[in-house]
Amino acid sequence: RHCRPTPPKHKARDDGDGPGKANPSTMTEACESAILTHLSSGEDVSIPDTLVWADESKLGHETVVGAIKSLLVDAYVAAEPLSYQFYDLKDEARGILENGSPEVAVLKVLIEAGEGGMSVGDLQGKVGKALCKIGMGNCMKNKWAKKDGGNLVAIKKLDEVTDETQASLKALSDAQGNPDALGNKVRILR
């Protein structure tokens, strides 16, 4: 949101909780106060992007947006919507970024098992059932591993494969979530 200051009015609220109690209403009031203080610090001062301003001010973005909406209702500020898309890596994606994709994890274990490979049950015991299911399927699809009797056997070495999932997440992370970093390859991991 882009905010332009209007003459600030001062609100007096009594939330009934007494002094020193942190609650959402006092956090919002503190945020409103920070916004109004910033906007009244000069004639042409504005907040061109609430996401950036919230980060710089060490405030939660949702709290800042809520405070601006509250100030809009009371006509303390004027605002224009600003939106853009970006990806925020969740725990699973951060894990892949750090440790590699499920298919690479499965391939590593199969390589460690040697030429005889290992059974699906043993593989599940090493990497976990969920990771095994995803990783094994992708290893087979990419022709990194094959079934040999009752075992899975690696047919590629680690230096012969590219972890495209990890590479895409790294590009996205390096670009601070900007989807343009992925080019035409957008693959959403859930």
Side-chain angles (χ1 to χ4, degrees), residues 89-109:
L89 299 184
K90 301 296 180 202
D91 291 339
E92 180 183 4
R94 285 190 291 274
I96 291 170
L97 185 59
E98 189 173 313
N99 303 313
S101 65
E103 52 269 30
V104 169
V106 166
L107 181 61
K108 285 178 184 176
V109 170

Side-chain angles (χ1 to χ4, degrees), residues 36-106:
L36 291 173
T37 299
H38 174 77
L39 294 175
S40 63
S41 66
E43 200 168 304
D44 291 325
V45 176
S46 67
I47 299 173
D49 185 336
T50 56
L51 189 62
V52 173
W53 189 82
D55 187 51
E56 290 170 352
S57 301
K58 307 283 190 254
L59 297 167
H61 184 246
E62 289 180 13
T63 303
V64 170
V65 170
I68 287 175
K69 287 180 179 179
S70 175
L71 292 168
L72 276 167
V73 169
D74 295 333
Y76 293 143
V77 297
E80 299 167 8
L82 170 67
S83 66
Y84 50 91
Q85 291 183 338
F86 63 93
Y87 291 103
D88 183 26
L89 299 184
K90 301 296 180 202
D91 291 339
E92 180 183 4
R94 285 190 291 274
I96 291 170
L97 185 59
E98 189 173 313
N99 303 313
S101 65
E103 52 269 30
V104 169
V106 166

Side-chain angles (χ1 to χ4, degrees), residues 113-127:
E115 289 182 27
M118 66 176 25
S119 70
V120 173
D122 289 343
L123 182 60
Q124 286 177 347
K126 287 270 190 184
V127 298

Side-chain angles (χ1 to χ4, degrees), residues 2-190:
H2 178 80
C3 297
R4 291 184 306 274
T6 59
K9 301 173 190 171
H10 295 287
K11 293 193 249 186
R13 290 188 188 164
D14 179 13
D15 55 20
D17 286 341
K21 301 270 185 168
N23 65 41
S25 128
T26 55
M27 289 187 329
T28 301
E29 286 178 19
C31 189
E32 287 175 4
S33 177
I35 291 166
L36 291 173
T37 299
H38 174 77
L39 294 175
S40 63
S41 66
E43 200 168 304
D44 291 325
V45 176
S46 67
I47 299 173
D49 185 336
T50 56
L51 189 62
V52 173
W53 189 82
D55 187 51
E56 290 170 352
S57 301
K58 307 283 190 254
L59 297 167
H61 184 246
E62 289 180 13
T63 303
V64 170
V65 170
I68 287 175
K69 287 180 179 179
S70 175
L71 292 168
L72 276 167
V73 169
D74 295 333
Y76 293 143
V77 297
E80 299 167 8
L82 170 67
S83 66
Y84 50 91
Q85 291 183 338
F86 63 93
Y87 291 103
D88 183 26
L89 299 184
K90 301 296 180 202
D91 291 339
E92 180 183 4
R94 285 190 291 274
I96 291 170
L97 185 59
E98 189 173 313
N99 303 313
S101 65
E103 52 269 30
V104 169
V106 166
L107 181 61
K108 285 178 184 176
V109 170
L110 291 177
I111 290 170
E112 289 172 6
E115 289 182 27
M118 66 176 25
S119 70
V120 173
D122 289 343
L123 182 60
Q124 286 177 347
K126 287 270 190 184
V127 298
K129 194 172 184 176
L131 193 112
C132 179
K133 182 179 177 182
I134 295 167
M136 186 177 75
N138 287 336
C139 271
M140 303 287 280
K141 183 179 82 173
N142 293 336
K143 301 194 184 326
W144 296 356
K146 67 178 183 178
K147 283 244 184 194
D148 187 9
N151 285 351
L152 286 169
V153 179
I155 55 177
K156 293 283 185 178
K157 296 178 184 171
L158 282 176
D159 61 357
E160 297 174 325
V161 301
T162 302
D163 193 342
E164 291 182 21
T165 303
Q166 186 182 42
S168 293
L169 289 171
K170 180 167 179 13
L172 198 55
S173 177
D174 290 348
Q176 298 177 322
N178 184 342
D180 294 339
L182 298 176
N184 293 330
K185 291 179 14 177
V186 175
R187 181 174 165 194
I188 298 175
L189 303 175
R190 295 185 193 252

